[in-house]
């Protein structure tokens, strides 16, 4: 089953996001933001260079100010977490340019995927003991803060079903 994990996760993510097209120079426009793929590890969000693989792209009013923000899931390492992993970057649109609000290094657990729902970022996360949680995060003034668990300490199938609802 462990050998199938990356394949199954890739299928679930590809079906849920539609960003990672197989051809280069593809773009996706949402609410004033355009995500353009130059190649597998170089994307552009409006004028902002994202030199990382992208696994997710969502828009919504993250900070509750009435304007639409962009949430981009990238795969990269950070200074405090040197292992490459899934991260969330959040951008504002200022004069048609993307400007970072938060370049997140980590939420709570090991981020598998996220989506924006009901003014919150819903995260599918795995834990170091091979269990899964589905959590909601809200804007906390300077980045995302934990709001509550939807479900925790469950197997992957149960977490995926809850996350997809």
């Amino acid at each position: 089953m462990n050998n199938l994990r990356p394949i199954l996760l890739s299928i679930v993510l590809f079906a849920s996001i539609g960003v990672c097209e197989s051809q280069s120079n593809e773009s996706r426009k949402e609410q004033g933001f355009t995500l353009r793929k130059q190649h597998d590890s170089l994307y552009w969000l409006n004028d902002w260079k994202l030199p990382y693989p992208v696994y997710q792209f969502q828009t919504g009013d993250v900070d509750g100010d009435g304007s639409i923000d962009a949430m981009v899931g990238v795969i990269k390492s950070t200074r405090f977490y040197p292992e490459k992993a899934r991260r969330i970057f959040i951008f504002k649109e200022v004069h048609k340019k993307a400007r970072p609000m938060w370049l997140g290094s980590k939420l709570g657990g090991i981020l598998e995927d996220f989506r924006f729902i009901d003014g919150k970022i819903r995260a599918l996360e795995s834990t170091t003991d091979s269990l899964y949680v589905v959590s909601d995060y809200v804007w906390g003034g300077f980045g995302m803060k934990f709001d509550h668990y939807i479900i925790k300490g469950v197997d992957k199938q149960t977490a995926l079903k809850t996350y997809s609802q």
Side-chain angles (χ1 to χ4, degrees):
M1 184 64 180
N2 276 348
N3 292 342
L4 291 176
R5 184 173 187 244
I7 295 168
L8 292 173
L9 187 55
S10 295
I11 291 168
V12 168
L13 291 176
F14 183 77
S16 69
I17 62 175
V19 170
C20 300
E21 296 91 358
S22 60
Q23 298 177 359
S24 61
N25 296 321
E26 296 287 330
S27 64
R28 182 170 168 205
K29 187 168 180 77
E30 277 195 26
Q31 304 280 338
F33 289 98
T34 300
L35 182 68
R36 184 174 54 86
K37 178 180 178 180
Q38 191 164 334
H39 56 74
D40 288 344
S41 59
L42 178 57
Y43 288 76
W44 293 88
L45 180 68
N46 295 8
D47 63 321
W48 192 271
K49 183 178 183 179
L50 292 166
Y52 319 106
V54 170
Y55 69 92
Q56 181 63 278
F57 176 48
Q58 298 268 305
T59 58
D61 185 5
V62 174
D63 59 357
D65 70 352
S67 65
I68 299 298
D69 310 308
M71 294 150 275
V72 183
V74 298
I75 300 171
K76 69 176 295 289
S77 59
T78 70
R79 180 172 49 167
F80 298 112
Y81 301 100
E83 188 173 318
K84 285 188 178 183
R86 291 169 181 243
R87 317 288 181 195
I88 300 175
F89 286 1
I90 303 173
F91 296 88
K92 277 265 177 239
E93 185 181 23
V94 179
H95 305 296
K96 300 194 185 261
K97 296 182 180 201
R99 294 297 172 250
M101 288 172 52
W102 188 63
L103 304 176
S105 58
K106 194 162 176 67
L107 285 175
I110 301 162
L111 185 61
E112 301 284 338
D113 199 7
F114 72 90
R115 64 192 180 109
F116 190 71
I117 183 169
D118 298 329
K120 300 175 183 177
I121 291 180
R122 177 150 303 159
L124 172 64
E125 301 168 288
S126 58
T127 63
T128 55
D129 56 359
S130 301
L131 295 174
Y132 289 81
V133 301
V134 177
S135 308
D136 277 355
Y137 292 85
V138 296
W139 184 250
F142 179 75
M144 302 309 297
K145 72 175 187 174
F146 176 78
D147 188 56
H148 68 280
Y149 289 111
I150 306 299
I151 194 169
K152 68 179 185 172
V154 297
D155 62 71
K156 184 176 183 175
Q157 183 178 1
T158 303
L160 281 170
K161 183 177 178 184
T162 302
Y163 173 76
S164 299
Q165 294 177 347

